[in-house]
Amino acid sequence: IDTRSRCKNRLIILVLDEIEVISGTSESSAHRGTLEMFFRWANDSNISCALIGISNAVENRAAEIITSAYDASAGLTAPSLRKLVFKPYDKATLVKILSERVGNIIQPSAIEFAA
């Protein structure tokens, strides 16, 4: 059975959390080929695939490697890589989140310190 023909009319949404881990720490990382493969799937007109990469890397070496892997796999006809950058939580928000989730088992002073 040809998997491509079965999947052509279905959208595959691939979510990769901590994508910077897959990218490795250098250009020669063994995992870079895997990352490029995921990007090729997202740009392959025979596969309906949307790739969402979640990363803590925004303006550092890991972010550069991710962008470079995309550029290497995309080709000239691929859509551009779109980045959405979310603001980090402030301390008050972190305290609120932690208190709601673990406030009954951790002392408030520990939550304040962790935030």
Side-chain angles (χ1 to χ4, degrees):
I1 299 174
D2 182 9
T3 305
R4 279 189 176 208
S5 63
R6 285 184 22 213
C7 294
K8 188 167 185 166
N9 295 324
R10 295 182 183 164
L11 175 62
I12 299 166
I13 300 174
L14 181 59
V15 179
L16 301 175
D17 193 6
E18 308 248 357
I19 195 170
E20 70 274 12
V21 174
I22 298 170
S23 73
T25 57
S26 70
E27 290 287 335
S28 62
S29 170
H31 300 293
R32 181 179 163 145
T34 302
L35 187 59
E36 289 177 6
M37 177 188 66
F38 290 139
F39 285 136
R40 280 193 301 275
W41 289 355
N43 288 306
D44 188 331
S45 61
N46 293 312
I47 303 172
S48 295
C49 179
L51 175 63
I52 300 171
I54 301 170
S55 174
N56 291 322
V58 178
E59 298 286 335
N60 62 18
R61 182 69 181 135
E64 291 174 13
I65 292 171
I66 292 167
T67 302
S68 174
Y70 177 82
D71 292 342
S73 67
L76 298 174
T77 60
S80 63
L81 181 65
R82 291 187 288 176
K83 296 179 185 178
L84 299 174
V85 179
F86 296 92
K87 294 179 183 177
Y89 293 123
D90 61 13
K91 182 175 181 175
T93 304
L94 285 172
V95 168
K96 181 179 180 210
I97 291 168
L98 290 170
S99 295
E100 289 172 356
R101 295 185 183 173
V102 296
N104 58 340
I105 58 173
I106 297 178
Q107 294 179 356
S109 60
I111 292 174
E112 280 282 330
F113 179 75

